[in-house]
Amino acid sequence: MRNSTPSEIDSVLASASAAGEMYGKLPGAARAAFLEAIASGLEALGAPLIETAMRETNLGQVRLEGERARTTGQLRMFANLIRSEQWRDIRIEEGDPSAQPRPKPDLRRTQVPLGPVAVFGASNFPLAFSVPGGDTASALAAGCPVVCKAHPSHPETSRLCADAILEAAQQTAMPEGVFGIVWGGPETGAALVKDPRIHAVGFTGSLKAGRALLDLAASRPCPIPVYAEMGSVNPVFLMEGALSARCESIAKGYADSLTLGVGQFCTNPGVVVGVANGDWERFLTLTATHLSRVEGSQMLNPSIAECYATGVSNREAHPSLEVLVSGSGSSPALFKVSGQEFLADHSLQEELFGPSGIAVECASRDEMLDVGRALEGQLTATIHFEPSDQARTAKLLAVLATKAGRLVANGFPTGVEVNSAMQHGGPYPATTDSRSTSVGTAAILRFVRPIAFQDFPAELLPGHFGL
């Protein structure tokens, strides 16, 4: 797919800007019908969509069919949400002209859409976090036109999805320009973020690219919010009682989570932490055995595969890391480091996208707490514990609650439920705004802003106030 020209990008942005006011004023039921039509359109694409995505991403049929179901499910989830106006958090304080010492004004607070949103497709989710994904669904639900920059790794998949969205817009009589797509690399993305007709950004990808977009948005004469999901190593902490009681199942669970999807998930558990003892050594041995049986698979694209291979080589050469499983190509790799050395070398916290893990061996429970305190912001943090660990777990939990957006008990972080209670976001550098989520119904709040109407007659107020 050729890159969009500057004039083509300008045309898409002009159409989105023109559609903004009209689309934002449509009733929730009309926007809901649009979202549902998109979901039906994606399903109607049938096997060709899955086959195209398989060819472009090296992902398997079962994985992609599940991802399409998640994509259509979240579109319908937002449709159900916006049929009711409850999501707007409407607050009404009725006026009282006779109040003393001065009259009390009538105040009605609600949420209104920001305006056109730029959405950046992700490499690792060609459907659920790309053209028809959660950012697009939540922005359209909020009443914001979307300009999507397709990811270059899966252009034909993106085109098929974009066509389905555009056809759904026609079927449901949406304003022209409610959705547009552009093609290109970093220069195309920069053009979107810098354009004054864009009012917010949704992004899933690397820390380097996400930070570049954040800086561009902040440097605009009128800065805009960037909701970027970036790097996370999703640490897993293993308490002593848990390892004593469930060492084998924890080792298998960790290995399975680390290698799921060739480690190409944002919730991949790239760091595991424990206190040195016999059970910890057994855990490492069992995990290494499980990992050594996993054969490498094709990664999403050659660039990602090359970065992973380079990262594993760099870890093998690192003076503080002991190689427990030596990866080659895209096969799993596991390394061990002492808690003291992990604390001294910040680079060991950097995400390596792929099935590579670092086991942090702490000399004491206090050192485990120190490792927790030293962590950067994370999407998730996990603790495995037994009742005998509860007091120590409470201390660790208090630390990790300041570091992560989702805390997992006795499980693994891969697998993100799409519902009203999910929080998929965390302190920087996991995301650029820890107050938001990119998964679940609360994601809609990224693309709206609060507004209060004071002393306006009912006929001039938005209809969703119920007047």
Side-chain angles (χ1 to χ4, degrees):
M1 196 71 65
R2 68 172 180 81
N3 291 351
S4 299
T5 65
S7 63
E8 289 170 338
I9 295 170
D10 181 72
S11 177
V12 170
L13 288 166
S15 294
S17 182
E21 184 174 356
M22 186 184 307
Y23 182 65
K25 290 181 178 179
L26 288 177
R31 298 201 304 277
F34 175 32
L35 295 177
E36 288 170 338
I38 297 172
S40 297
L42 293 172
E43 290 166 343
L45 290 173
L49 175 62
I50 302 302
E51 291 165 0
T52 301
M54 289 172 63
R55 184 178 67 253
E56 291 188 321
T57 65
N58 298 316
L59 296 173
Q61 179 178 343
V62 173
R63 152 70 195 273
L64 287 167
E65 288 175 345
E67 188 180 333
R68 176 164 60 184
R70 170 178 172 168
T71 304
T72 58
Q74 62 194 13
L75 283 160
R76 293 185 172 114
M77 176 189 72
F78 280 109
N80 290 333
L81 176 71
I82 62 176
R83 280 200 164 90
S84 166
E85 300 293 358
Q86 293 181 353
W87 68 271
R88 292 183 185 269
D89 188 26
I90 294 172
R91 303 175 185 222
I92 298 175
E93 291 284 347
E94 294 184 350
D96 182 0
S98 64
Q100 295 296 327
R102 63 180 182 274
K104 177 185 175 183
D106 183 278
L107 281 167
R108 294 166 190 261
R109 187 181 188 270
T110 185
Q111 304 280 355
V112 295
L114 291 177
V117 170
V119 169
F120 288 72
S123 64
N124 58 337
F125 281 87
L127 303 175
F129 277 92
S130 287
V131 173
D135 289 344
T136 295
S138 53
L140 291 175
C144 299
V146 167
V147 177
C148 184
K149 190 187 93 63
H151 197 282
S153 289
H154 38 78
E156 187 62 20
T157 303
S158 297
R159 185 192 64 78
L160 289 170
C161 292
D163 287 348
I165 296 174
L166 292 169
E167 184 176 346
Q170 283 191 323
Q171 290 174 354
T172 54
M174 291 297 106
E176 184 178 354
V178 69
F179 175 83
I181 188 164
V182 296
W183 313 86
E187 69 289 340
T188 300
L192 293 183
V193 175
K194 291 190 293 185
D195 195 282
R197 291 166 290 192
I198 290 296
H199 295 266
V201 175
F203 170 85
T204 298
S206 70
L207 174 59
K208 180 180 178 181
R211 182 55 197 249
L213 296 180
L214 178 66
D215 291 344
L216 273 177
S219 69
R220 288 175 33 150
C222 179
I224 58 172
V226 173
Y227 298 105
E229 179 202 308
M230 303 178 293
S232 183
V233 296
N234 306 292
V236 175
F237 288 80
L238 308 180
M239 307 304 285
E240 292 156 286
L243 279 180
S244 176
R246 298 181 276 116
C247 188
E248 187 167 346
S249 65
I250 292 174
K252 185 178 186 306
Y254 178 72
D256 289 346
S257 183
L258 184 69
T259 57
L260 183 66
V262 204
Q264 297 168 118
F265 287 93
C266 52
T267 51
N268 182 48
V271 168
V272 60
V273 187
V275 175
N277 62 21
D279 291 322
W280 168 254
E281 288 299 325
R282 183 165 174 256
F283 163 78
L284 295 179
T285 300
L286 289 168
T287 301
T289 299
H290 287 302
L291 293 177
S292 65
R293 295 171 178 164
V294 178
E295 295 182 1
S297 301
Q298 283 186 300
M299 302 189 81
L300 290 162
N301 58 54
S303 176
I304 288 174
E306 182 180 353
C307 287
Y308 176 70
T310 300
V312 169
S313 295
N314 290 340
R315 286 184 173 182
E316 289 177 340
H318 194 289
S320 298
L321 293 177
E322 177 185 343
V323 179
L324 301 181
V325 178
S326 179
S328 60
S330 61
S331 62
L334 183 65
F335 304 86
K336 184 174 77 170
V337 68
S338 71
Q340 184 177 10
E341 289 167 326
F342 183 83
L343 291 168
D345 188 347
H346 183 269
S347 71
L348 298 177
Q349 289 197 41
E350 295 175 4
E351 179 187 28
L352 175 54
F353 196 62
S356 175
I358 294 178
V360 182
E361 183 172 282
C362 298
S364 66
R365 298 166 184 168
D366 286 342
E367 189 169 79
M368 177 185 274
L369 284 172
D370 289 339
V371 167
R373 293 186 186 101
L375 289 170
E376 293 183 320
Q378 306 291 330
L379 291 172
T380 74
T382 298
I383 311 176
H384 281 263
F385 60 94
E386 289 289 303
S388 60
D389 299 313
Q390 195 142 324
R392 295 185 296 277
T393 299
K395 291 182 180 179
L396 179 59
L397 183 61
V399 171
L400 297 181
T402 69
K403 301 292 183 177
R406 176 164 61 105
L407 301 171
V408 181
N410 293 321
F412 293 95
T414 43
V416 180
E417 290 294 322
V418 183
N419 57 33
S420 64
M422 177 50 64
Q423 172 59 28
H424 191 63
Y428 185 87
T431 63
T432 49
D433 190 334
S434 62
R435 299 166 297 176
S436 67
T437 178
S438 62
V439 176
T441 55
I444 197 173
L445 299 177
R446 296 173 298 168
F447 304 123
V448 295
R449 65 177 178 87
I451 187 171
F453 295 86
Q454 181 170 326
D455 289 334
F456 278 87
E459 56 267 27
L460 291 179
L461 291 170
H464 57 256
F465 280 116
L467 298 173

